[in-house]
Amino acid sequence: MCGILALILSNSTSTTAAVELHDALYLLQHRGQDACGIATCAAGGRIYQCKGNGLASKVFHEGSRIQDLPGFMGLGHLRYPTAGSSANAEAQPFWVNSPYGICFAHNGNLINAPELKRFLDYDAHRHINTDSDSELMLNIFANELNETKKARVNEEDLFSSLERMYKRCVGGWACTAMLAGFGVIGFRDPYGIRPMVLGSRPSRDGEGMDYMMASESVALDQLEYTNIVDIKPGQAVIIRKGSPPIFRQVHPQLAYAPDIFEYVYFARPDTILDGISVLRCREIMGEKLGATIQKALGPTGVKDIDVVIPLPETALTCAPKVADYLGIQYCTAFVKNRYVFRTFIMPGQEARQKGVRRKLNAIKSEFKGRNVLLVDDSIVRGTTSREIVSMARDAGARKVIVASCAPPITHAHIYGIDLASPRELVAHERDAPAIAAHIGADAVIYQSLEDLKRSCAELSPRDPATQEFEVGVFCGKYVTPVDESYFRRLEQVRGKSKKMKIVENAKEAVIHGVANEDEVKMAVNGGKVREDGEVVPAGDQKQSMGVQVNGTIPNGHAVNGYSESTEVEQSVRERMDISLHNFGDYTEGT
């Protein structure tokens, strides 16, 4: 999950596009805190950009960098890390010089990335410098657009290039793009998995209309854009400088299946996605969860509960409805510290658990001697839930029941949200009693998948009876066809991306004298990634093979178009963006 933006002002002499994009980044900051960026286009087609790892306030120096981003149109991006994407070089928007100067912001994931990378290497001869699917998709689009062989392109050329790109790419995405001096583009996958909306308003410094695209309607609302419409599955829109939007179905709509996790957790409650109010559907989730709890516990069990307590922040919407349905007191007894973000590397499990307590504080008077029902939006790994249950007991709770507005999460998310590896999911090969035992609760109660889908579908402006959603994380049935090899590759990518962190944690554990045997081995010999994606001390098992695209690898084996290499992939602490000079990369001492 990422946040994407595109803006084009009617007045092409304006230089303030970055000001609005910067404001919008804060409105969508919940969609990604890993990295962010803005790219703008000014007179003469000159591109300016600032991007890097961190929150918008950090990357843009509390807004002081915006003055260096002139232009009348631009893109914005907020990154939520997917498997393998954490380097500064993978902050977006991406850029390619040829053809025509294209900037690109992407939210989603491609499940046929190996095939695309092979095509770009052997057929299109375009070099890919990061592990990001976004760079792949940009180069696929750029290659198709290059086939026009024209000095200048028009809308028909762009739509035709997008049509050909859609035939190559498989996955879920919402993207915005900008052609230097030409205009902005938005498009969405044929299944409608990732969201995108378009709004307009009268120009503030001239005639005509300004247009903005965003992942969520709240960004448009706050910046006074109206006439908000959803980009439809398989649809693209082109807004040329000084012209109204042109819509085109560039691929047949294969489904209308938004990712239901947007409604469960990711989107802001004041957003409307695909005509469905996030606030209202979360309230209905609470009502249906209340009915499920009543059925599971029975009248006596419900009467035994003293208070319903939400876990901040998403559950603040659904938990009151649970309390209303059950006729039980509601209390916000956990207080969140909004100013704690990432903690430093903390060796040892005990130190890591303290990270949860830094973010939440239990009001002891609301727990002492009471039977509490804790309501959460979802339970992923269970580590946070375990610590929260422990906090409730430490505060004096006699009995702790945990209820989840989402069903058990048992499978990987493959469309741009790196929840966890399946084996890290608490519900993987565990039933509700086993999960309760694992997190230390007296009971765990889950929303059913059918009730979750009905909570959203009954608000759909389309036929609620036929409204689909992407729910693969709960059942393993994804809306796009997925080959088993994709999941193996995903585990490898996850392992490679976390290897350096695990090795550094092991070294810290040794320094602090709390290392176990494996951590000592890893600190001395380094780590390696097994075929299942697990990071283990080097020398324990056969080295997992790294991917090599250019050149021939001795004793290599082809897998999904890649050559598997016995060479060790080099790990570095950071990689800078080389495609365009980016002052966001060089902030020390400024």
Side-chain angles (χ1 to χ4, degrees):
M1 177 196 72
C2 296
I4 58 171
L5 296 159
L7 170 69
I8 184 165
L9 302 176
S10 175
N11 182 358
S12 59
T13 64
S14 175
T15 60
T16 61
V19 175
E20 290 196 42
L21 289 168
H22 180 248
D23 289 343
L25 288 179
Y26 288 94
L27 295 168
L28 298 182
Q29 185 76 80
H30 61 285
R31 297 190 66 86
Q33 301 89 45
D34 200 54
C36 64
I38 291 174
T40 60
C41 181
R46 180 68 59 85
I47 303 292
Y48 300 84
Q49 90 170 353
C50 176
K51 62 179 185 175
N53 282 355
L55 298 171
S57 58
K58 173 189 173 185
V59 173
F60 295 100
H61 287 199
E62 304 293 347
S64 65
R65 294 291 194 185
I66 298 305
Q67 63 184 334
D68 299 312
L69 298 171
F72 67 96
M73 64 177 176
L75 305 181
H77 188 270
L78 294 147
R79 186 180 72 200
Y80 179 97
T82 55
S85 63
S86 61
N88 190 59
E90 291 166 358
Q92 297 186 45
F94 278 115
W95 147 272
V96 289
N97 168 319
S98 176
Y100 315 115
I102 309 171
C103 289
F104 195 82
H106 172 271
N107 172 29
N109 208 38
L110 299 175
I111 62 176
N112 65 332
E115 175 187 333
L116 297 175
K117 196 164 187 179
R118 181 177 178 85
F119 165 77
L120 289 170
D121 184 26
Y122 287 97
D123 298 315
H125 311 306
R126 299 183 76 94
H127 176 67
I128 302 301
N129 200 56
T130 73
D131 298 321
S132 173
D133 287 357
S134 310
E135 189 187 12
L136 282 177
M137 198 169 198
L138 166 58
N139 277 273
I140 293 290
F141 175 55
N143 182 69
E144 297 299 340
L145 193 56
N146 197 49
E147 294 299 312
T148 63
K149 308 297 183 186
K150 295 168 67 174
R152 295 289 184 271
V153 289
N154 55 35
E155 291 90 342
E156 287 301 317
D157 296 320
L158 293 169
F159 282 131
S160 298
S161 298
L162 286 170
E163 288 175 8
R164 294 192 298 273
M165 184 198 75
Y166 270 63
K167 292 176 181 178
R168 293 191 183 278
C169 298
V170 181
W173 62 79
C175 304
T176 54
M178 177 173 67
L179 248 67
F182 182 91
V184 295
I185 310 167
F187 50 93
R188 195 174 177 192
D189 70 80
Y191 301 89
I193 298 170
R194 301 259 64 87
M196 184 162 65
V197 292
L198 167 69
S200 61
R201 71 171 185 210
S203 173
R204 290 176 172 176
D205 60 353
E207 298 181 353
M209 302 293 289
D210 301 334
Y211 297 95
M212 176 177 269
M213 288 179 271
S215 296
E216 295 185 30
S217 63
V218 64
L220 307 185
D221 290 334
Q222 291 292 304
L223 294 172
E224 300 181 351
Y225 286 82
T226 58
N227 301 316
I228 297 172
V229 297
D230 293 288
I231 307 301
K232 299 297 189 293
Q235 188 180 64
V237 57
I238 297 173
I239 310 174
R240 192 168 186 172
K241 180 173 61 177
S243 301
I246 301 175
F247 295 87
R248 177 77 58 84
Q249 195 72 27
V250 293
H251 192 285
Q253 180 175 309
L254 300 179
Y256 206 134
D259 185 349
I260 207 164
F261 231 82
E262 292 277 357
Y263 301 98
V264 171
Y265 173 73
F266 289 113
R268 277 178 50 152
D270 48 350
T271 279
I272 296 175
L273 296 177
D274 292 301
I276 300 173
S277 164
V278 175
L279 172 68
R280 183 61 189 131
C281 74
R282 286 179 186 166
E283 290 176 338
I284 297 173
M285 287 176 203
E287 294 166 1
K288 293 187 182 298
L289 180 59
T292 299
I293 293 168
Q294 188 174 65
K295 183 177 179 180
L297 298 180
T300 303
V302 171
K303 189 176 180 180
D304 193 42
I305 298 172
D306 297 307
V307 63
V308 174
I309 297 173
L311 299 183
E313 289 184 11
T314 314
L316 293 174
T317 306
C318 56
K321 294 298 181 180
V322 173
D324 288 346
Y325 188 93
L326 297 175
I328 298 173
Q329 177 190 351
Y330 171 78
C331 178
T332 53
F334 279 111
V335 179
K336 185 174 182 179
N337 182 353
R338 299 172 185 273
Y339 304 102
V340 173
F341 294 98
R342 293 183 173 183
T343 54
F344 292 102
I345 293 173
M346 294 178 290
Q349 181 64 18
E350 182 179 349
R352 285 189 286 270
Q353 288 172 343
K354 289 180 181 178
V356 176
R357 297 184 181 239
R358 291 180 182 180
K359 294 182 180 180
L360 286 178
N361 184 51
I363 302 175
K364 292 183 179 181
S365 61
E366 303 303 319
F367 288 91
K368 189 174 182 179
R370 308 177 88 181
N371 298 331
V372 301
L373 173 63
L374 305 182
V375 178
D376 204 352
D377 55 79
S378 57
I379 305 173
V380 184
R381 290 178 174 87
T383 50
T384 299
S385 299
R386 186 191 305 122
E387 189 62 23
I388 285 172
V389 169
S390 176
M391 290 172 66
R393 295 200 187 280
D394 290 347
R398 288 185 304 171
K399 188 175 184 179
V400 181
I401 298 172
V402 178
S404 169
C405 287
I409 299 172
T410 54
H411 292 75
H413 195 291
I414 65 172
Y415 302 114
I417 304 170
D418 189 26
L419 290 177
S421 169
R423 65 178 179 274
E424 297 172 334
L425 298 170
V426 70
H428 182 64
E429 299 183 348
R430 287 190 184 99
D431 60 10
I435 294 168
H438 182 76
I439 67 173
D442 294 281
V444 171
I445 301 171
Y446 282 100
Q447 183 96 270
S448 73
L449 181 55
E450 286 307 310
D451 278 350
L452 176 61
K453 290 193 288 187
R454 280 193 288 265
S455 298
C456 301
E458 63 185 62
L459 299 173
S460 174
R462 296 161 292 282
D463 182 3
T466 59
Q467 175 66 63
E468 298 177 76
F469 294 96
E470 162 48 40
V471 294
V473 291
F474 304 117
C475 60
K477 297 178 181 178
Y478 302 96
V479 297
T480 63
V482 188
D483 189 85
E484 189 61 32
S485 63
Y486 172 79
F487 295 101
R488 293 194 296 269
R489 185 178 72 89
L490 189 62
E491 290 305 298
Q492 278 285 301
V493 171
R494 280 198 181 105
K496 290 175 182 177
S497 64
K498 67 184 181 181
K499 184 177 73 171
M500 178 176 287
K501 182 177 180 180
I502 290 174
V503 172
E504 293 214 0
N505 283 353
K507 292 177 181 178
E508 287 288 324
V510 170
I511 291 171
H512 289 83
V514 294
N516 59 33
E517 184 179 347
D518 279 349
E519 286 174 323
V520 172
K521 290 180 181 178
M522 208 168 294
V524 174
N525 300 321
K528 65 182 181 183
V529 183
R530 295 191 319 212
E531 290 183 0
D532 63 357
E534 191 71 19
V535 179
V536 297
D540 278 11
Q541 295 191 27
K542 185 177 179 181
Q543 174 70 41
S544 178
M545 305 206 176
V547 172
Q548 175 102 1
V549 175
N550 294 313
T552 303
I553 307 303
N555 303 318
H557 302 281
V559 178
N560 294 329
Y562 282 83
S563 294
E564 298 286 1
S565 169
T566 55
E567 296 177 4
V568 177
E569 183 176 331
Q570 296 299 309
S571 295
V572 296
R573 289 179 178 271
E574 190 53 273
R575 289 182 289 120
M576 299 298 184
D577 181 22
I578 64 168
S579 62
L580 184 67
H581 175 66
N582 175 37
F583 54 75
D585 288 341
Y586 309 100
T587 58
E588 293 297 327
T590 60

